Amino acid sequence: PNMAAVSVAVTRRLFLQRAPAEEVLRACKASEDWSTLAGQEALHAALVTDPAAKQVNRTYKQRCLKALLHALDGHEICEGLLEAYISNDLLGATAKGSDGPSIRTFEVNGAALELHTSDEIGGEAETSGCLWPACPALAAWLQAHASELTGATVLELGSGTGLASLTVACCADVKTVVATDNSLSALSRLRESAKALDSRIGSRVHVAALDWLANAWLDDDDRDAEPAAHAYARPAAELPASPFDLVIGSDLAYNPLLLRPLCRTLGAILRASAAGGALSPRAWLAAERRSAETWAMLLEELQREELTVSDLSEPLRSAAAAQSTFYCAAESIGRLHLLEIRATTHGGDGHHGLSVGNMSDGDVCMRHGAMSTKGMESFETRTI
């Protein structure tokens, strides 16, 4: 019975996070009695009648129910599961294009994080409304390092769905979390998700617009001459006037045109935070590396901003693989990277440098200002 309960709980968690249907089915089958009527009724309660399950996207729910019923071929089928599949199918036929709510629920430290996501494709909806692979991995990292963040002020760049910001607010005894984005639809979803957690996180989470092309941290010379012409530009809202101990972000390095604005803004925030009293401000940027060229450009822009970078990719992958709170696709974990970034202090000669530590084989590295993609197994952390 304990194994059956664990199997149903894992199935429910994966389903609410909208893991692939095959992963949900694999969790179902982890219990020997999953195909019995009693086992099916337990799955029906978790996937159909559970209040959180009712908020799951209709098309995704139908996909999971179809896979489950197909796997039960040859067994006596629970009436509730069959009825749910048929009624969901009929609803889809009469919905006239509407797919119902698109909410993913993460149960973090006793709190239910309901993320309002978007399944639309194209433009800002595609980037800000989707849950990209590095985000749950970053959330897992933040949960694992929550004890280090007591009393911290945290700023998230490109928050999107808000999973990382809301996770740190629920897991760590932070002072303030500011979730930012430059998409109006993302900001609306962020406010809605944060409001649902008012009783848990109170007034610690703030939502604000932030344009990397033009914001209060950038000098006039660094600002984009015509920010409104940029496809992602939005008027910047005023942010809480506070130095930040930690800046976080996930899957931000995908558009080469935004790498320089991102790194300029990040560098300006870290330097302003250090000048404003933060003892050792740092940033944790997580990303799924998809393009060697784009990744090289990111490191080049960080060097241009004279920031110190340490590679925490292996610890991130280990943290993502070891936990069960956030679904992280196994095929993505090997491509995940985590950079810890700090503002470089001036040396006696007035120069700054980029410090790159122990980059894994095939990673793009900075050495004496030149780009290299060769293996760097013995490359030690140093300032250039």
Side-chain angles (χ1 to χ4, degrees):
N2 290 336
M3 187 62 188
V6 169
S7 173
V8 171
V10 173
T11 301
R12 175 180 177 273
R13 174 178 61 80
L14 293 172
F15 180 73
L16 295 183
Q17 295 185 24
R18 290 182 56 188
E22 55 269 23
E23 294 288 344
V24 176
L25 184 59
R26 185 177 295 114
C28 289
K29 293 181 175 181
S31 171
E32 291 183 358
D33 66 350
W34 76 278
S35 60
T36 66
L37 286 179
Q40 293 180 51
E41 287 169 359
L43 291 172
H44 176 262
L47 307 183
V48 178
T49 62
D50 185 291
K54 293 180 180 180
Q55 301 186 92
V56 172
N57 172 275
R58 184 196 61 78
T59 297
Y60 171 75
K61 182 183 296 184
Q62 191 72 349
R63 192 181 306 131
C64 290
L65 289 174
K66 182 178 181 179
L68 180 56
L69 291 174
H70 180 75
L72 286 167
D73 187 30
H75 296 83
E76 185 178 359
I77 296 179
C78 166
E79 189 174 300
L81 283 175
L82 189 57
E83 287 181 351
Y85 177 78
I86 294 173
S87 62
N88 201 52
D89 194 46
L90 290 174
L91 179 62
T94 59
K96 296 181 179 180
S98 174
D99 211 15
S102 187
I103 294 176
R104 301 186 190 215
T105 302
F106 295 79
E107 295 178 341
V108 180
N109 204 26
L113 276 58
E114 296 182 350
L115 303 185
H116 296 258
T117 61
S118 170
D119 295 308
E120 299 176 27
I121 298 298
E124 67 181 29
E126 180 182 6
T127 54
S128 69
C130 294
L131 194 65
W132 300 98
C135 188
L138 178 60
W141 176 265
L142 292 167
Q143 185 181 45
H145 293 266
S147 61
E148 302 175 22
L149 304 178
T150 300
T153 55
V154 181
L155 172 71
E156 183 177 15
L157 301 177
S159 298
T161 63
L163 177 60
S165 286
L166 296 176
T167 294
V168 75
C170 289
C171 290
D173 187 18
V174 293
K175 180 180 178 181
T176 303
V177 179
V178 182
T180 70
D181 207 286
N182 201 29
S183 157
L184 296 179
S185 58
L187 293 171
S188 176
R189 288 191 299 268
L190 281 167
R191 293 189 182 97
E192 197 169 352
S193 296
K195 185 178 179 180
L197 290 170
D198 272 351
S199 61
R200 179 63 183 267
I201 60 179
S203 59
R204 288 188 295 166
V205 174
H206 304 271
V207 176
L210 177 59
D211 186 351
W212 301 343
L213 296 171
N215 56 71
W217 282 289
L218 296 177
D219 295 330
D220 289 341
D221 292 341
D222 290 329
R223 299 190 184 200
D224 192 282
E226 298 181 4
H230 195 280
Y232 291 84
R234 293 287 186 276
E238 189 166 338
L239 294 165
S242 174
F244 293 98
D245 302 295
L246 177 65
V247 181
I248 58 176
S250 62
D251 274 319
L252 304 180
Y254 61 93
N255 184 344
L257 296 177
L258 292 177
L259 293 180
R260 180 168 294 182
L262 166 63
C263 294
R264 284 190 310 192
T265 295
L266 177 59
I269 293 171
L270 291 175
R271 287 187 288 270
S273 295
L279 292 180
S280 185
R282 57 182 169 171
W284 284 335
L285 293 190
E288 181 184 25
R289 180 177 159 187
R290 302 176 180 87
S291 162
E293 182 179 359
T294 301
W295 191 253
M297 290 177 64
L298 171 65
L299 293 179
E300 187 175 17
E301 292 301 334
L302 290 171
Q303 184 185 43
R304 186 193 300 269
E305 288 301 312
E306 303 173 331
L307 298 171
T308 300
V309 180
S310 299
D311 187 0
L312 301 179
S313 301
E314 283 302 326
L316 173 72
R317 293 167 194 154
S318 297
Q323 55 82 48
S324 59
T325 304
F326 308 93
Y327 172 73
C328 296
E331 63 269 20
S332 295
I333 289 180
R335 298 192 296 270
L336 296 178
H337 292 261
L338 179 65
L339 302 180
E340 182 175 77
I341 303 166
R342 298 178 187 267
T344 307
T345 56
H346 282 280
D349 59 359
H351 292 290
H352 298 280
L354 177 69
S355 175
V356 182
N358 296 326
M359 294 298 230
S360 60
D361 184 47
D363 279 346
V364 179
C365 303
M366 292 283 188
R367 194 195 314 216
H368 302 300
M371 303 304 299
S372 171
T373 58
K374 296 181 179 179
M376 303 290 285
E377 295 86 351
S378 61
F379 188 60
E380 298 297 327
T381 302
R382 55 179 170 164
T383 300
I384 299 169

